[in-house]
Amino acid sequence: MSRRPSHPARTITAAAAALAAVGALTAAAAPASAHAPAQRHPAARHVLVLSVDGLHQSDLAWYTARHPHSALAQLAGGGVEYTHAATTNPSDSFPGMVGQLTGGDPGTTGVYYDDTYSSALLPAGTTKCAGAKPGAEVDLTEDLDKNKDSLDAGQGLKGLPGSILHMTGDPTRLLDPSKLPVDPKTCRPVYPHSYLRVNTVFEVARTAGLRTAWSDKHAAYDILNGPSGKGIQDLFAPEINSNATGYAAGDDWTKDNAATRQYDGYKVSAVLNEIDGYDHGRTHKVGTPAVFGMNFQSVSTAQKLPTSDGLAGGYRAKGVPGPLLAKSLDYVDQQVGAFLAELRRQHLADSTTVILSSKHGQSPTDPQALTRIDDGPLLDGLNTAWKAAHPGAGDLVAHAVDDDAMLIWLTDRSKAATAFAKAYLLARSGTGNGIDGKARPFTASGLKTLYAGVAAAGYFHARPGDSRVPDLVGVTQYGVVYTGGKGKIAEHGGAHADDLDVPLVVTGAATPHGVRVDSPVRTTQIAPTVLRLLGLDPRSLDAVRAEHTRVLPVR
């Protein structure tokens, strides 16, 4: 890994000659497409992908300006930094990570959130499928675990949490099939990996005979295995929403930022073991993976929690990290530094490319804009109004996910029903609360725009009537977070810049040094870039072919 240059980072224009010298492909010049043939001799043998959930490009810029000799500054200044990168919309963990590793947006991958609905599948537990009415929640959270209260998701390890590195690398064994939706054609449970409509970089790498590994926060990240179910050879997925041993009773690892850092530390240890050529638990010598990595959660919880560890969470002012967030950024920097040091120690620095980004941002970064709204009464009121207008009808809302966006699936998908729901929600006003906990009025259910029916499908470039696309998609007014009480000061999932503007850095093998790309890019471009770096064909990815996803301007 190269150290941060003493001169300022060059813009893509100023660095054109340097990029051209290493065969750079850009969207603006000769062309950064996925259609070029794979290289015969890849310059990278390993690609380490890191997602710092919640991290904004502005956070990275703030941190590196104040810590110019940090590991994060080394990454940002030592390779290619994309200053206008956007993650998927919705900006949630599952579509965000799936997008990075498939090259596709939700309209293509079929993954809109971590907890959604399908009008084509049967409810979990269905055993008699003939004649059963379709319509089922698709839950990709801790609820699928055999034991969601345990860090090992129900494996039964002794000595937790210290023994967690002995957790299986095959988390499908830890999913309870009775909690999975059912395919009406086969009458069998639909596992997360088979729910994904497109293949992943892991599957392409496996087909090429390369080793793969990943670490994430739920066993349901089995989805990254891809439709084959065999993309990731070593998937380490300790349950983040389990009971956090040693912390307040009933709290999970996200309720205390120190707990989140401890939790992240287990995944860091797994990746360090993999850099050293072992499996995640350091039990078997298997070789350093060609594609591997992890996500960090500690920045995300530092943005959400009002206070933790005696420190104020979130931002002091617009875009200015407060003390808890600054501490979490220090933590992530230290762990990134440990990865870079271990790569050097194992003589892998010259053959490894590191990609740093985020599944999602977090909103609002302006604490004074926060308006917390309890969405429960809004949805209950919609159901009540629908039944009053349609005697004998059941609830109109089949499923809803509201963080700082509003995604609603209806039991009646007709134009009349979606129009009814839209009109009702846009007419609601009420009172929420602000950053100080005091009453704060809201209008239009906290929404800026609400797309319904065909317009909702169009918003995601999905086919109208698709069994997975929401029937209503609400873009909130800036600062709105749907939550009861006062326990959160930020969320993700929405379409604001705070949700979408994430960092993206590619550095190491096969990249130039000190280059800054200011033109817009997407995190979905990470997937074809990973394959190109490894000398594989980006068009091996289904989503790349469907969306014409371009390789990043790297080399």
Side-chain angles (χ1 to χ4, degrees):
M1 297 294 143
S2 61
R3 296 190 181 278
R4 183 178 178 87
S6 57
H7 54 77
R10 298 166 287 171
T11 66
I12 190 66
T13 301
L19 285 165
V22 291
L25 299 172
T26 73
S33 81
H35 302 284
Q39 294 175 280
R40 290 177 179 272
H41 303 291
R45 292 175 51 210
H46 313 280
V47 180
L48 174 62
V49 180
L50 303 175
S51 175
V52 184
D53 295 9
L55 189 67
H56 305 97
Q57 170 60 23
S58 59
D59 297 327
L60 180 63
W62 180 90
Y63 190 84
T64 57
R66 286 157 180 77
H67 305 278
H69 303 295
S70 63
L72 289 174
Q74 179 182 340
L75 284 184
V80 184
E81 180 181 15
Y82 304 89
T83 61
H84 288 84
T87 188
T88 58
N89 184 9
S91 54
D92 179 57
S93 295
F94 266 81
M97 199 73 254
V98 165
Q100 288 189 32
L101 297 171
T102 66
D105 283 304
T108 298
T109 65
V111 180
Y112 289 89
Y113 226 82
D114 63 359
D115 186 9
T116 60
Y117 188 84
S118 170
S119 61
L121 297 178
L122 301 178
T126 301
T127 56
K128 296 181 180 180
C129 296
K133 183 179 179 181
E137 180 182 4
V138 181
D139 190 344
L140 299 172
T141 70
E142 69 277 7
D143 293 331
L144 294 185
D145 298 348
K146 288 184 176 179
N147 181 0
K148 66 181 181 181
D149 293 328
S150 178
L151 186 62
D152 67 1
Q155 184 174 337
L157 293 174
K158 305 296 184 183
L160 289 172
S163 63
I164 191 58
L165 287 176
H166 296 296
M167 188 177 182
T168 178
D170 178 14
T172 56
R173 296 166 46 189
L174 305 177
L175 298 174
D176 184 345
S178 71
K179 299 176 181 178
L180 298 170
V182 174
D183 185 337
K185 296 179 180 178
T186 64
C187 210
R188 293 179 179 177
V190 177
Y191 279 80
H193 68 261
S194 56
Y195 187 69
L196 184 60
R197 287 175 168 168
V198 296
N199 64 347
T200 72
V201 295
F202 298 116
E203 290 177 294
V204 176
R206 286 296 309 280
T207 299
L210 302 178
R211 183 165 180 81
T212 59
W214 187 254
S215 181
D216 225 299
K217 59 182 181 178
H218 303 303
Y221 274 88
D222 160 63
I223 197 169
L224 299 178
N225 272 309
S228 71
K230 299 179 180 179
I232 305 175
Q233 288 165 283
D234 189 357
L235 178 52
F236 178 56
E239 180 51 66
I240 193 169
N241 292 118
S242 62
N243 293 333
T245 306
Y247 296 87
D251 280 359
D252 65 30
W253 300 90
T254 70
K255 298 300 189 297
D256 184 302
N257 194 246
T260 314
R261 296 194 301 273
Q262 180 179 335
Y263 168 86
D264 278 349
Y266 299 130
K267 293 182 294 184
V268 169
S269 294
V271 172
L272 289 171
N273 288 338
E274 289 158 2
I275 289 173
D276 290 351
Y278 292 88
D279 60 10
H280 76 264
R282 209 176 182 86
T283 302
H284 302 289
K285 191 80 170 180
V286 291
T288 304
V291 187
F292 65 127
M294 64 166 282
N295 84 303
F296 287 91
Q297 287 293 117
S298 46
V299 165
S300 179
T301 62
Q303 292 166 329
K304 287 184 180 183
L305 294 170
T307 60
S308 186
D309 309 340
L311 300 173
Y315 294 83
R316 293 180 187 270
K318 174 65 176 175
V320 180
L324 183 64
L325 180 52
K327 183 176 182 178
S328 293
L329 290 170
D330 283 339
Y331 171 79
V332 170
D333 180 74
Q334 292 162 9
Q335 308 318 306
V336 170
F339 292 150
L340 300 183
E342 198 63 22
L343 288 169
R344 290 192 294 268
R345 189 174 297 112
Q346 296 298 329
H347 307 290
L348 296 174
D350 292 336
S351 60
T352 301
T353 305
V354 179
I355 299 178
L356 175 78
S357 191
S358 180
K359 297 176 183 178
H360 57 78
Q362 212 98 259
S363 182
T365 60
D366 180 357
Q368 298 306 314
L370 178 66
T371 303
R372 288 176 285 216
I373 299 173
D374 186 352
D375 61 325
L378 297 174
L379 299 176
D380 290 343
L382 173 56
N383 283 328
T384 298
W386 175 256
K387 287 185 282 190
H390 301 81
D395 286 346
L396 180 58
V397 177
H399 189 71
V401 177
D402 308 325
D403 285 327
D404 74 325
M406 184 176 282
L407 306 180
I408 300 177
W409 290 260
L410 302 179
T411 55
D412 183 339
R413 309 190 76 190
S414 68
K415 183 177 181 180
T418 56
F420 181 96
K422 178 178 180 178
Y424 177 87
L425 290 169
L426 291 179
R428 298 307 103 193
S429 60
T431 304
N433 66 83
I435 190 68
D436 56 5
K438 295 180 180 179
R440 189 161 186 153
F442 65 84
T443 60
S445 297
L447 297 168
K448 177 182 178 182
T449 309
L450 184 58
Y451 299 90
V454 172
Y459 182 76
F460 292 122
H461 306 288
R463 177 180 55 82
D466 183 276
S467 61
R468 302 184 187 183
V469 71
D471 296 297
L472 293 141
V473 181
V475 178
T476 61
Q477 300 163 25
Y478 180 68
V480 166
V481 172
Y482 293 111
T483 181
K486 303 171 185 177
K488 285 192 289 190
I489 58 175
E491 258 297 355
H492 55 266
H496 297 290
D498 288 356
D499 299 293
L500 301 175
D501 292 354
V502 296
L504 179 49
V505 175
V506 182
T507 187
T511 64
H513 302 295
V515 173
R516 187 178 68 204
V517 178
D518 293 326
S519 56
V521 296
R522 304 284 313 286
T523 58
T524 53
Q525 293 177 257
I526 291 172
T529 301
V530 168
L531 296 187
R532 175 62 58 79
L533 287 166
L534 293 172
L536 303 177
D537 186 358
R539 283 184 56 79
S540 299
L541 290 169
D542 301 330
V544 165
R545 296 194 304 274
E547 297 187 10
H548 307 288
T549 313
R550 293 175 177 267
V551 173
L552 286 166
V554 174
R555 56 183 307 273

